[in-house]
Amino acid sequence: MVNSIESIDQTLISLDEFLKLPETKPYSEYINGKIEQKSMLQGQHSVLQGSLATAINQKVLENKIAYAFPELRCTFGGRSLVPDISVFTWQRIPKNEKGKIANRFLTYPDWVIEILSPEQSANKVMRKIMFCLGEGTKLGWLIDTEDESVMILKPNQFPEIKVEKEILPVLDDIKNLDLSVEKMFSWLSF
């Protein structure tokens, strides 16, 4: 049995072994039998992540439409991922036997949002989003702070790139978010 991240550098381990390990900061993900550590959050990433989750939740909570979770571990399809933001529609939020929110989410998010960090590989993050789409996720955003664009990924469709005043698409159940790329990136100007 494996007890720490350090002892399993390049060793393949099972998903069950991975899930028994203590959480790390930054978070680690389990992909294809290997542990991959996420990048440490930086200023722009942190502001966008917090502001986006808040903006989404302000539109969806009152009517119990969905919930945006920052840095939530989702285990499904033989992987354990921690998207920057995972949005679950209300009826799909896992609950325990008492009807309260579950601690473990053993399913895919309905909408996954990833914010590209300067040292991250865009293709690696896109593969993560595409994996989610293949498992049932309906919408993926890949936010690039360098060129202030958002790549929109949906199942069985070509990706779209949204810039400037273009309104970002959301899940069908969510109405009136009306968030443009320009407005989202304006949150970075203090």
Side-chain angles (χ1 to χ4, degrees), residues 19-81:
L19 292 173
K20 290 176 186 171
L21 294 171
E23 282 292 352
T24 60
K25 287 284 186 165
Y27 292 105
S28 295
E29 297 181 309
Y30 179 84
I31 300 171
N32 298 329
K34 294 183 180 176
I35 295 173
E36 298 183 15
Q37 194 150 25
K38 290 186 66 159
S39 300
M40 183 61 86
L41 290 185
Q42 296 180 9
Q44 292 182 7
H45 187 288
S46 183
V47 168
L48 286 175
Q49 183 177 6
S51 298
L52 263 174
T54 299
I56 294 166
N57 285 333
Q58 285 176 341
K59 293 292 182 180
V60 298
L61 274 179
E62 185 177 337
N63 294 318
K64 298 182 178 179
I65 296 167
Y67 193 88
F69 297 88
E71 302 286 338
L72 175 71
R73 179 168 302 288
C74 300
T75 302
F76 59 95
R79 295 185 182 188
S80 189
L81 307 173

Side-chain angles (χ1 to χ4, degrees), residues 38-177:
K38 290 186 66 159
S39 300
M40 183 61 86
L41 290 185
Q42 296 180 9
Q44 292 182 7
H45 187 288
S46 183
V47 168
L48 286 175
Q49 183 177 6
S51 298
L52 263 174
T54 299
I56 294 166
N57 285 333
Q58 285 176 341
K59 293 292 182 180
V60 298
L61 274 179
E62 185 177 337
N63 294 318
K64 298 182 178 179
I65 296 167
Y67 193 88
F69 297 88
E71 302 286 338
L72 175 71
R73 179 168 302 288
C74 300
T75 302
F76 59 95
R79 295 185 182 188
S80 189
L81 307 173
V82 183
D84 292 329
I85 300 173
S86 300
V87 180
F88 281 82
T89 56
W90 200 261
Q91 67 275 13
R92 287 199 62 252
I93 296 172
K95 296 170 188 71
N96 64 22
E97 61 281 348
K98 294 179 182 178
K100 294 184 177 186
I101 190 166
N103 278 324
R104 291 196 175 213
F105 279 51
L106 303 176
T107 188
Y108 59 87
D110 293 293
W111 172 12
V112 63
I113 299 172
E114 290 287 349
I115 303 160
L116 195 60
S117 296
E119 68 281 353
Q120 276 185 306
S121 160
N123 285 346
K124 188 174 182 179
V125 179
M126 280 182 58
R127 280 194 303 270
K128 183 169 140 180
I129 295 171
M130 290 168 59
F131 173 80
C132 293
L133 293 172
E135 293 292 320
T137 298
K138 297 175 192 140
L139 177 64
W141 286 8
L142 176 58
I143 299 170
D144 187 335
T145 58
E146 289 297 312
D147 73 352
E148 297 193 353
S149 68
V150 181
M151 180 180 288
I152 307 301
L153 297 116
K154 296 180 181 177
N156 305 312
Q157 292 184 22
F158 287 111
E160 299 176 55
I161 306 289
K162 300 287 185 184
V163 296
E164 298 173 353
K165 296 187 186 304
E166 291 182 281
I167 299 297
L168 292 161
V170 295
L171 293 173
D172 291 340
D173 297 348
I174 299 173
K175 308 274 189 269
N176 304 321
L177 186 59

